[in-house]
Amino acid sequence: MVDGVITGGEIYRVSPAMISSYFKYMTTEYAKYATGHGMLLVQLAGANTGEPWSADAARGMLKRAGQRAELPGRITPKAFRHQITNDVLDASNDPLVAKAVGNWASAQMVDEVYGHADLHSPQFTAALQAVWGEQE
């Protein structure tokens, strides 16, 4: 901290929708309940109102949101990191970009775990047809 401002650390890009949601949260719920702890996500109801979220609180919120949306299976916080990595790799086809977005340890790991062919892409179909000697 320098003059009350956090310095150093890492900078990540976020979508306009994320900025809008963050601004709304910070100017409504957070401003009402935040205490002097400086944690970003706080309990908005119950006995611990205003206290920082625990990992269990985040998992519980995702579980309830998934149930309301009638999604099958569990939603975990790490699923968001995996999904954005997959989406960015598909869009950029560059493991270095996906590594940076997901804050992964190495581009090699990203390529090994997420580097897969899009089985529905025209390029995939064309490659198979070329190898099999088929015409489109």
Side-chain angles (χ1 to χ4, degrees):
M1 299 278 288
V2 176
D3 297 324
V5 177
I6 296 173
T7 63
E10 298 181 35
I11 297 173
Y12 297 95
R13 294 181 184 213
V14 297
S15 71
M18 290 173 71
I19 293 170
S20 178
S21 294
Y22 175 76
F23 181 77
K24 182 178 178 185
Y25 170 73
M26 291 302 289
T27 57
T28 58
E29 289 101 336
Y30 184 79
K32 270 194 282 189
Y33 298 110
T35 61
H37 51 67
M39 299 300 288
L40 176 62
L41 299 175
V42 297
Q43 300 284 357
L44 298 177
N48 295 322
T49 298
E51 292 301 310
W53 269 18
S54 65
D56 285 340
R59 284 188 285 275
M61 184 275 306
L62 289 173
K63 179 181 179 180
R64 290 186 302 278
Q67 289 170 340
R68 282 192 305 270
E70 298 179 0
L71 298 175
R74 287 183 354 169
I75 302 170
T76 61
K78 70 179 183 177
F80 292 97
R81 183 180 187 205
H82 291 281
Q83 188 63 52
I84 191 67
T85 301
N86 190 61
D87 292 348
V88 168
L89 186 59
D90 284 349
S92 69
N93 200 30
D94 187 340
L96 284 173
V97 173
K99 173 202 173 293
V101 168
N103 195 31
W104 296 102
S106 74
Q108 178 182 350
M109 185 281 308
V110 169
D111 193 39
E112 289 172 0
V113 174
Y114 297 97
H116 53 42
D118 179 357
L119 303 180
H120 304 290
S121 74
Q123 295 87 353
F124 186 85
T125 302
L128 286 178
Q129 289 173 337
V131 169
W132 293 339
E134 295 178 3
Q135 297 292 335
E136 264 190 14

